[in-house]
Amino acid sequence: MTDCVTGPESGTRKAEGERASDATRSAENVAIERIRERGESVRDRQVERALSELELSERERDAVERLGDRLVERLLAVPEAQLERAASDGDEETLAAALELFSGSR
């Protein structure tokens, strides 16, 4: 005799688990998107501000813009990885907190 559960009930539980996992992944994607949008928005404003105050060659302007890109990538790498981990762990509380923190517009 086996302890394996089969039948319609096991399929229902599996489908519910998959839906919960999909919802968690969706929240993760939204949270990461909001964090990235916020970082890029801040980068764009600050780079433009710096460029407007300086007389730079095209090469120097490109360097400032690349610096802004690298800063955003490095600053967001850890929060994005933590959100991915939270999603894989089913930590909806962390995902909800991230959504709340980065949903404002400033």
Side-chain angles (χ1 to χ4, degrees):
M1 184 177 235
T2 65
D3 290 21
C4 182
V5 177
T6 59
E9 295 83 18
S10 66
T12 301
R13 282 189 293 249
K14 183 177 179 182
E16 289 172 356
E18 288 173 358
R19 280 194 297 274
S21 177
D22 289 346
T24 301
R25 287 286 176 203
S26 178
E28 168 204 0
N29 292 337
V30 170
I32 288 174
E33 182 178 314
R34 286 186 183 167
I35 290 171
R36 180 144 305 276
E37 287 172 354
R38 175 82 171 124
E40 290 171 354
S41 174
V42 169
R43 177 207 58 214
D44 291 346
R45 285 193 314 270
Q46 295 306 312
V47 166
E48 189 57 41
R49 181 178 174 192
L51 292 176
S52 72
E53 294 175 5
L54 302 168
E55 292 184 26
L56 302 174
S57 69
E58 190 64 33
R59 182 172 179 241
E60 293 166 328
R61 292 176 69 83
D62 289 343
V64 170
E65 289 175 0
R66 284 192 311 274
L67 172 63
D69 292 341
R70 285 192 308 271
L71 285 170
V72 169
E73 288 298 319
R74 298 249 168 82
L75 288 170
L76 298 183
V78 171
E80 287 178 358
Q82 290 175 336
L83 288 173
E84 289 170 1
R85 188 174 327 115
S88 69
D89 292 347
D91 184 354
E92 295 177 20
E93 186 176 329
T94 296
L95 295 171
L99 286 169
E100 185 176 330
L101 285 170
F102 290 94
S103 65
S105 57
R106 281 192 168 180

